[in-house]
Amino acid sequence: MGAPSAAVQRAEQLRRELREHNHRYYVLDDPGISDAEYDTLFRELQALEAAHPELLTPDSPTQRVGGAPSAEFAAVRHRQPMLSLNNCFSDTELEDFDRRVREGLARDDVDYVAEPKLDGLAVSLLYREGRFEQGATRGDGETGEDITANLRTIRAIPLTLRGTAPPLVEVRGEVYLPHAGFRRMNEEAAARGDKLYVNPRNAAAGSLRQLDPAVTARRPLALYAYGLGYVEGWRAPATHHEVLAQLREWGLPVSPLIEVVHGVDGCRVYYAAMQTRRAGLAFDIDGVVYKLDDLAGRDELGFVARAPRWAIAHKFPAEEAQTVLENVEFQVGRTGALTPVARLQPVFVGGATVSNATLHNMDEITRKDVHIGDTVIVRRAGDVIPEVKAVVTARRPPDAQAVVLPPSCPVCGGRVEKEEGEVIARCTNGLSCRAQLHGALLHFVSRRAMDIEGLGEKLLAQLIELDWVRTPADIYALQAERLAGLERMGEKSAQNLVDAVGRSKQTTLERFLYALGIRDVGETTARDLARHFGTLEALIAAAQADAPTAHADKDKERCPQLRAVTDVGPVVAAHVSHFFVEPRNLEVIAALRGAGVHWPQAQAAREGPLTGKTFVLTGTLPGMTRDEAGALIETAGGKLSGSVSKKTDYVVAGESAGSKLAKAEKLGVAVIDLDGLKALIAGEG
């Protein structure tokens, strides 16, 4: 028997009232009732739901905390990448950014949306049919951690959007900890005799990653929404400030400090104002962010690497402090580079206790005249790695020691060399050096390389220590029975790892090249090499043919075959050539292929029905992801672009196509749907 109609109606009324009061309190900062009155309504709804469990809904205000603690956080693939921002630290860099935006759009001036750069944790909130379904951290931008249960505890986040919402909408925002809440947390920690939190950002991040959401619920976290990610069934407005207005209408908190400013002068005025107001704000900020207001202009400018060309973070000046340099140690990276690291007397600077700082390289140590025992000025800006900015030579003790580059590798004892014209000294022992092997293997198994899930830093270090893995090829010989005996492994984890290794055998040539860790070969260069040569054999042949010219005196004489690849210059070409003439590297490649690592052949630019045509994808395509559609186009010889221009031949538009479709129509670019694309490929267009 269902609940009485009176109970059903009262429960719905209470949910509506509590949502409205949450909105007024956390979003509008205008509470309509006292805390005691709110608690009375809340308890009444709890009692109704307890008496009639069928009345309980997932988005009820009483369900902010629920469920058992999680043993781990599942991975969440972002439907649209969560991009990071490039930084600027000076007025000149800001002017350069504005000039690039205006030149890219061929305009004399533009408007930006300026907002404070919160020192918190970026999150993604997915709403389906207006109800909060999933929340995730930024992670690496492509994949984050599922922290849905913890985000549900934050009262500033509505569990149900107000008004009419799209069928699927992904809200981007920043979770932060206000100063008052941070002080209260530390007061409570001190009373319990627990360790104090270093700064609000670390406390917020730690709170969101609690395995038990009940713990997160006790933390006074807040959120400001700053934009949208993936959206279905909604035509976006023309400007970002209109998007922010829509977020407010949906009941999401948006910073009242955000302003639309005109040109670089408007940015300067806003930056100065925020710098003045910074100390009096209720939360930490470490700079401001400028975003192009025109959404169509954003599409036109596109991205560089994993950052948009249309936005930049203008950081506040770094904080500095003095301390004593107790020692200098040299760390060895995956390319053999020796990096000097300062070991410092711990000092609090930039919101954190710093005991280590980078010294960059020996040239910097010489230029700054750094000695062990010196009093030094340590500089830290936000999340930037702390650095030794300068030496207070007047306070140098008589027994201060000069810093000397070690003649042998501190890890393996191999010879250390510094090539003429370079500032970096390197261990020459290659993969025989455990530090280089560990770094190279971490890179090899990373998500954007061979993507072997479960093979992390600690486990790799253990496998290297046991001498089970000496080259990347040894990973493919790992056995579940043997792995299960390792600490914290177990049979299921061991089998999962072996399965992940097995899945990674099927890859692409560009991923494989990137995974090899060739010096200065990133994802873009690996892709260009793969597409230019088509096969690994052709690339190796070109690299070996170029070997005699790798050190030619004039740039134009160096590595002519490799330099024919788009954007490959003499230095990168020389590194590629050196890699593929080294017998040890060829042995590792042969062993990997012998273990079953493979990829589709003929990955170079293809001839086909779409040869010479440039395509842009936009909107949601029926029954096919954009990646799949892109592969279809490239297989047929076509070229993909991320933005619409006069050089675009076709825009393939699906549902909810936004500004790219509008721009195509404005420029007179042909617009087709997925069926039209298939017709072109079949030669029917």
Side-chain angles (χ1 to χ4, degrees), residues 148-319:
T148 306
N150 291 347
L151 288 171
R152 289 176 66 88
T153 71
I154 300 175
R155 294 188 181 274
I157 298 176
L159 299 181
T160 303
L161 297 181
R162 300 164 67 88
T164 303
L168 196 68
V169 57
E170 185 186 7
V171 176
R172 301 284 169 78
E174 191 92 359
V175 171
Y176 66 95
L177 188 61
H179 292 154
F182 177 67
R183 287 193 296 270
R184 185 163 71 250
M185 283 177 61
N186 268 345
E187 288 169 359
E188 293 171 353
R192 295 191 303 268
D194 293 343
K195 182 179 178 180
L196 301 184
Y197 299 96
V198 175
N199 56 46
R201 186 190 188 283
N202 288 354
S207 298
L208 276 183
R209 299 194 76 258
Q210 293 291 321
L211 297 180
D212 186 352
V215 176
T216 307
R218 294 194 291 271
R219 308 286 172 83
L221 298 172
L223 171 132
Y224 275 138
Y226 58 70
L228 292 175
Y230 181 81
V231 185
E232 283 184 5
W234 186 64
R235 192 172 183 87
T239 62
H240 180 58
H241 75 264
E242 290 175 293
V243 169
L244 295 177
Q246 180 63 70
L247 289 173
R248 291 188 183 97
E249 288 183 20
W250 285 335
L252 289 145
V254 175
S255 173
L257 299 174
I258 294 178
E259 296 179 15
V260 178
V261 300
H262 183 67
V264 69
D265 288 337
C267 293
R268 290 194 191 98
V269 171
Y270 184 86
Y271 179 83
M274 284 300 106
Q275 202 168 10
T276 301
R277 297 180 62 178
R278 180 184 186 185
L281 295 178
F283 43 81
D284 280 346
I285 64 173
D286 58 1
V288 300
V289 175
Y290 313 118
K291 300 174 182 175
L292 183 67
D293 193 28
D294 178 18
L295 299 185
R298 293 185 182 186
D299 286 341
E300 189 171 344
L301 290 172
F303 309 91
V304 54
R306 298 191 188 95
R309 289 190 176 95
W310 42 262
I312 200 164
H314 193 175
K315 304 296 283 290
F316 290 139
E319 297 184 39

Side-chain angles (χ1 to χ4, degrees), residues 594-611:
V597 176
H598 65 283
W599 51 85
Q601 294 299 316
Q603 293 297 307
R606 297 178 173 90
E607 293 291 326
L610 304 185
T611 298

Side-chain angles (χ1 to χ4, degrees), residues 93-161:
E93 291 175 328
L94 172 61
E95 290 172 355
D96 288 342
F97 161 73
D98 176 63
R99 175 183 50 76
R100 291 192 300 270
V101 169
R102 289 185 290 104
E103 289 178 353
L105 298 175
R107 301 181 194 173
D108 293 331
D109 53 15
V110 294
D111 287 338
Y112 297 100
V113 172
E115 61 187 62
K117 186 177 182 300
L118 294 172
D119 199 11
L121 195 72
V123 296
S124 166
L125 312 172
L126 186 68
Y127 288 85
R128 189 181 299 276
E129 303 298 341
R131 291 189 173 187
F132 179 50
E133 180 176 272
Q134 187 179 64
T137 62
R138 181 201 300 275
D140 64 4
E142 297 284 347
T143 305
E145 293 177 312
D146 189 336
I147 54 169
T148 306
N150 291 347
L151 288 171
R152 289 176 66 88
T153 71
I154 300 175
R155 294 188 181 274
I157 298 176
L159 299 181
T160 303
L161 297 181

Side-chain angles (χ1 to χ4, degrees), residues 454-476:
L455 195 48
E457 184 174 356
K458 292 182 179 179
L459 179 55
L460 272 175
Q462 191 175 4
L463 296 175
I464 293 169
E465 187 65 31
L466 291 169
D467 209 28
W468 290 4
V469 174
R470 286 171 290 181
T471 77
D474 292 334
I475 292 172
Y476 292 89

Side-chain angles (χ1 to χ4, degrees), residues 324-362:
V324 175
L325 175 63
E326 296 183 329
N327 197 8
V328 174
E329 297 178 3
F330 287 82
Q331 294 182 342
V332 184
R334 70 176 179 88
T335 64
L338 269 67
T339 302
V341 177
R343 304 303 185 193
L344 308 166
Q345 284 185 3
V347 61
F348 193 80
V349 56
T353 300
V354 172
S355 56
N356 303 313
T358 182
L359 287 163
H360 299 294
N361 53 62
M362 284 303 299

